[in-house]
Amino acid sequence: PKGMAITGLERAGAGGAVVFQAGTQFQADLTLAQGGRVLGVTGLGADLAAALATAYSAIAAIHFDHMYYRRDIGHRVLDP
């Protein structure tokens, strides 16, 4: 749904991740979800496992109602 306030973006970006906003709107000092793929979270690290850990740690800091995300990104590479 549209209009859900997103929190934790600053914390998510502070741990070595980059958070890209796509379906968001800034209104009255709030970042609001506007539907679709709202955010893209990219983790940085010395190797793929570290980058994945960084990304999922950043995701854990982010919250908005009805938020969901994929939990399988990169796992085929780590566990073929």
Side-chain angles (χ1 to χ4, degrees):
K2 296 181 179 183
M4 302 292 128
I6 302 171
T7 60
L9 293 172
E10 296 82 17
R11 283 182 306 170
V18 179
V19 180
F20 297 95
Q21 296 185 37
T24 62
Q25 179 181 26
F26 190 70
Q27 186 178 63
D29 295 330
L30 295 172
T31 302
L32 304 175
Q34 291 302 302
R37 291 188 170 105
V38 176
L39 303 171
V41 178
T42 301
L44 305 175
D47 57 23
L48 181 58
L52 284 171
T54 300
Y56 285 110
S57 177
I59 291 168
I62 298 169
H63 176 76
F64 57 96
D65 290 343
H66 306 288
M67 177 178 131
Y68 62 93
Y69 57 93
R70 291 189 53 182
R71 292 170 168 85
D72 64 337
I73 302 295
H75 292 285
R76 285 189 179 175
V77 176
L78 291 176
D79 301 318

